[in-house]
Amino acid sequence: MTTSFIPKTLEELGRDLARLPEDSLILAGGTDLVIHMHSRHMRPQALLSLSDVEELRQIVITPELASIGAMATMAQVVAATDGLEDLQALAHAASDVGSPQIRNKGTIGGNVANASPAADLPPVLWLLNAQVEIMGPGGATRVIPIQELPTGAKPATILARNEVLVRFLIDRTALKGWRTVFYKLGHRSQVTISRIGMSIAILQDECGIIQDARVIVGAIKPVPYRLPAAENILRGNRPDPELGPRLGETFKGNTRRVYKEEAAKGAFANALARF
Ligand SMILES: Cc1cc2nc3c(=O)[nH]c(=O)nc-3n(C[C@H](O)[C@H](O)[C@H](O)COP(=O)(O)OP(=O)(O)OC[C@H]3O[C@@H](n4cnc5c(N)ncnc54)[C@H](O)[C@@H]3O)c2cc1C
């Protein structure tokens, strides 16, 4: 029989994390985990649900900081960030996840903890240099850069069994003047797994010329990574889709899948068209 832990506060969560047995799972929106549990006939000794910890759902955005609780759903992330130029890539990525049903249940924490190379939110969180707060047994917390979040795609989560993601923190002062976009290339236009996730941040001068740029690509390697060649293409230019083909040769060697070398140019162009 499976024992359920359903904490209601962060304090209770910390206490429950300390009581979890070895064979336990953490449940957020369940859009991935429940499918895995059914298909693999998993019957853990304990299941800890994060659903009732209200603080984990909170999104607070000030001019200085964006704090996004790990249990915020994709739909909530879109509602909170759409229209904010520095955080627009988050809205793009979250609005591209699955179907409306998935976006109403699936959480930002689950998307990251899942550690899927094809997940849509991680490249954007890397782009924004997000920090992630992690809680361990007893409620002790630590904050680390998203890029340091340990990875290892299997099994389903990247964290220790008794650790949870609490919130993502984005320093908006460091993003002042920056605009960001995300474009996902999949096999079809909707409810599709990402084959390339192109996220771009640019800082333009008053004439619209790009002074600085950051480009992070997802769904090519096990974790997102930076593409300096694409950043060099952008600097000194306007964000014009015509720059897409210039990615050309520079993308070779990034992937063993030849079609992705070609497709990356289109993804770059389509992302630029979103500015
Ligand atoms: C039809 C369908 C379409 C989908 N489309 C997309 C898509 O387009 N893009 C995409 O990126 N994903 C997609 N997904 C995958 C999934 O829906 C998302 O990754 C979602 O964000 C997962 O969040 P969740 O809250 O449902 O996580 P859950 O299923 O509850 O959990 C997933 C894993 O993360 C762990 N976990 C969850 N939250 C935490 C936390 N706070 N701390 C520690 N561990 C945690 C769980 O233990 C589990 O191992 C799709 C899934 C389905 C079924």
Side-chain angles (χ1 to χ4, degrees):
M1 207 176 88
T2 300
T3 306
S4 297
F5 291 89
I6 313 177
K8 301 219 165 351
T9 61
L10 287 179
E11 200 183 337
E12 288 180 18
L13 173 61
R15 185 199 61 205
D16 287 346
L17 286 171
R19 290 163 41 188
L20 280 185
E22 195 68 36
D23 177 25
S24 59
L25 291 171
I26 287 163
L27 178 69
T31 58
D32 261 311
L33 188 65
V34 171
I35 293 173
H36 283 299
M37 287 177 70
H38 282 304
S39 64
R40 294 177 196 167
H41 307 289
M42 291 158 83
R43 295 274 178 279
Q45 207 182 327
L47 200 57
L48 186 151
S49 168
L50 301 176
S51 66
D52 284 11
V53 186
E54 208 44 50
E55 286 150 286
L56 291 179
R57 292 195 186 275
Q58 278 172 9
I59 302 181
V60 180
I61 299 185
T62 69
E64 291 79 34
L65 185 76
S67 168
I68 303 177
M71 282 297 285
T73 64
M74 295 299 163
Q76 289 168 329
V77 171
V78 176
T81 56
D82 197 17
L84 300 175
E85 291 203 319
D86 55 336
L87 304 179
Q88 187 62 49
L90 262 183
H92 287 155
S95 64
D96 275 351
V97 169
S99 58
Q101 292 92 328
I102 297 291
R103 291 194 287 279
N104 282 330
K105 292 292 283 178
T107 64
I108 185 168
N111 195 263
V112 171
N114 222 8
S116 162
D120 287 323
L121 277 284
V124 174
L125 291 167
W126 280 50
L127 183 80
L128 300 175
N129 279 324
Q131 304 260 315
V132 53
E133 185 179 322
I134 298 169
M135 180 186 282
T141 59
R142 64 195 157 103
V143 177
I144 59 168
I146 185 90
Q147 295 89 346
E148 286 177 19
L149 203 59
T151 57
K154 304 287 175 202
T157 181
I158 48 177
L159 297 159
R161 143 194 83 75
N162 50 10
E163 282 188 321
V164 293
L165 302 178
V166 174
R167 61 176 68 93
F168 299 90
L169 301 163
I170 299 162
D171 176 8
R172 294 187 75 200
T173 60
L175 292 169
K176 201 165 183 323
W178 287 77
R179 300 167 68 202
T180 69
V181 294
F182 172 83
Y183 176 80
K184 163 161 109 173
L185 184 84
H187 278 324
R188 48 177 189 250
S189 63
Q190 291 186 335
V191 196
T192 186
I193 292 179
S194 184
R195 305 296 165 179
I196 298 178
M198 189 70 73
S199 48
I200 305 177
I202 55 171
L203 183 68
Q204 292 163 283
D205 66 14
E206 56 284 355
C207 301
I209 304 297
I210 299 171
Q211 300 297 302
D212 204 358
R214 200 154 63 232
V215 179
I216 304 282
V217 192
I220 302 272
K221 299 182 178 178
V223 291
Y225 67 102
R226 199 167 167 182
L227 212 55
E231 296 169 359
N232 288 337
I233 292 168
L234 293 176
R235 286 189 197 101
N237 283 302
R238 292 175 201 281
D240 187 340
E242 303 258 311
L243 295 173
R246 294 204 8 211
L247 201 58
E249 291 293 303
T250 69
F251 202 73
K252 285 212 160 91
N254 279 286
T255 172
R256 278 175 293 152
R257 296 181 196 276
V258 177
Y259 83 89
K260 287 197 180 184
E261 284 180 3
E262 204 50 35
K265 295 186 234 168
F268 192 42
N270 289 349
L272 289 173
R274 290 191 136 180
F275 281 113

